[in-house]
Amino acid sequence: MTRFLVKLRLFNISVNRCLIIFNLTVIVVFLNMEFFDFHHHKKNISKGIYNLEYGEAPPEFPYSIGIHPQDIQLENIESQFDWLNSNITENCFAIGECGLDGLISIEQKIQEQVFKKQIEISNEIKKPLIIHCVRKFYEVISFRKMANQPMIIHGFNKKQNIADDLLKNKFYLSFGKPVLYNLSLQNVLKTIPLDKIFLETDNEDFNIEELYIKVSELKGISLERLNEQISENLERIQHG
């Protein structure tokens, strides 16, 4: 009996050592990794794409620039496009946010005209489009044929059938904080090909690392593999 207890104690020590070594390895790998935030509103994040607000000057790190549907000013739309066109620098990664919103008072016809013009700018300067879409997914899909550049739906949190239709039309999907707690969205994400995924904080107050860890768990892959794939996806939408 004494020998058996000794063996058990030795086994526990061995297992605990393995767990400690494993956890330390994960921590070391984690600390050595940088995680790309595809769409954010924080100027203290340099590894990601900062969403430039209307009227702001472009920063010295990657950003996107566009006219959000909610920011459309009918009496000032020419000045808004002047601002957009004059602030496209070498650090501009994408055009956006732009798109369609079914919950605002701006007439849809006006929204579509502004969206179409930004697609044309994207085609001209060969930059991808970051899309804002609220209750207008099939209308946005109808604009896909006009775009020569990749289109990424930011903050995707809808059902499987909408995700499937977007993927069929060659959209990318960027996921945010709801993935951390929304079980239905987690199940949707599990079905999305890795080469169609981006991750973002948007304007939520949390660390992008949390999202990468959760998605790596949901996908059953390592953090390193997920991070590599996101980098490949970025390269593809930027350079084809």
Side-chain angles (χ1 to χ4, degrees), residues 177-195:
K177 189 175 183 178
V179 167
L180 298 177
Y181 56 81
N182 187 319
L183 296 179
S184 176
L185 186 60
Q186 290 175 9
N187 288 329
V188 171
L189 188 143
K190 288 176 184 177
T191 72
I192 308 300
L194 280 171
D195 63 357

Side-chain angles (χ1 to χ4, degrees), residues 58-119:
E60 296 300 318
F61 46 81
Y63 67 92
S64 65
I65 183 171
I67 301 172
H68 192 291
Q70 295 179 0
D71 293 333
I72 295 172
Q73 301 171 7
L74 293 177
E75 72 288 351
N76 198 35
I77 193 64
E78 287 187 14
S79 295
Q80 288 186 297
F81 273 107
D82 287 342
W83 166 79
L84 193 164
N85 285 307
S86 63
N87 283 287
I88 297 172
T89 70
E90 61 181 10
N91 289 319
C92 177
F93 190 101
I95 298 299
E97 301 172 46
C98 58
L100 303 175
D101 193 318
L103 294 180
I104 61 175
S105 60
I106 304 294
E107 184 182 344
Q108 182 170 324
K109 184 178 179 181
I110 300 298
Q111 290 189 49
E112 290 179 351
Q113 291 172 350
V114 174
F115 185 29
K116 181 174 181 289
K117 190 165 183 180
Q118 292 180 89
I119 292 174

